[in-house]
Amino acid sequence: MKVTLEKINQDKKEVLRNLYSLYLHDLSAYTDGLQISESGSFEFDSFSLIGEKEGVTPYFIIADEKLAGFVLILEAPFTTRVDKVINDFFILNTFRGKGVAKAAVTEIIAENKGSYYISQLVNNLTAVHFWKKIYRQMEIDFVEQSEVQDGEDVVYQTFVIR
């Protein structure tokens, strides 16, 4: 399956908003901090920053020319710890378990050298296991720590790609 990343332009922002609702719905299984809005969707409170502020870069993940998900990468001034934060990473159910996520991560890392930070909700064992599997497969040495972010227990990994 051919997987590519496509930078999201303003004219595709509504598509991203719809994907974000699906992503947040998935995350709501692991936290009480996400609730459905009165309009019937899950909403990202800082969505307006995406594509409008320097340092916030969204990409669609495309698999065999079909929309498969998205990734949001943060850089300065939104991070001072590292060069890149993979802030949100979402693959539609149809594309899960088919190597799409790994291919997307491989492309992200190949295009973006430097230090990274990636966090997962502690209760989201699927995500925690996914990232650790990626690190093993790509032979990435990482440091893992835990902390509380916005009232949520998270585990995070930092590493450097040269």
Side-chain angles (χ1 to χ4, degrees):
M1 190 171 289
K2 182 181 177 192
V3 177
T4 58
L5 299 178
E6 176 185 299
K7 193 170 180 181
I8 300 173
N9 298 321
Q10 286 299 105
D11 63 330
K12 297 286 187 174
K13 201 164 176 182
E14 278 306 305
V15 175
L16 179 60
R17 183 184 304 275
N18 293 336
L19 287 175
Y20 248 103
S21 184
L22 296 172
Y23 167 66
L24 295 174
H25 172 265
D26 281 4
L27 284 182
S28 72
Y30 308 106
T31 176
D32 293 332
L34 293 170
Q35 301 296 321
I36 196 162
S37 71
E38 290 183 18
S39 67
S41 65
F42 286 85
E43 297 173 1
F44 178 41
D45 58 354
S46 298
F47 190 80
S48 63
L49 296 176
I50 297 173
E52 295 177 12
K53 296 285 185 185
E54 196 68 30
V56 181
T57 309
Y59 295 91
F60 286 133
I61 299 169
I62 308 296
D64 287 344
E65 300 183 21
K66 294 180 181 149
L67 182 59
F70 74 89
V71 60
L72 182 68
I73 299 175
L74 301 181
E75 299 171 278
F78 293 95
T79 179
T80 55
R81 294 185 196 192
V82 294
D83 299 319
K84 310 279 183 195
V85 174
I86 296 181
N87 198 67
D88 299 306
F89 186 83
F90 176 68
I91 302 293
L92 290 163
N93 288 335
T94 305
F95 295 95
R96 293 181 186 172
K98 297 179 179 174
V100 173
K102 181 183 178 189
V105 171
T106 300
E107 185 167 338
I108 291 164
I109 289 174
E111 298 294 320
N112 297 280
K113 305 297 183 206
S115 56
Y116 280 81
Y117 171 97
I118 302 173
S119 69
Q120 305 90 46
L121 291 170
V122 168
N123 293 333
N124 188 350
L125 296 179
T126 301
V128 172
H129 291 213
F130 165 77
W131 284 106
K132 288 184 181 178
K133 181 179 175 183
I134 289 291
Y135 303 143
R136 275 192 317 275
Q137 290 176 347
M138 296 181 73
E139 298 179 353
I140 295 172
D141 291 323
F142 65 94
V143 174
E144 183 170 87
Q145 295 180 289
S146 299
E147 67 182 10
V148 176
Q149 291 179 0
D150 300 324
E152 299 287 347
D153 291 328
V154 300
V155 60
Y156 68 91
Q157 302 84 35
T158 56
F159 56 92
V160 176
I161 300 295
R162 298 189 197 286

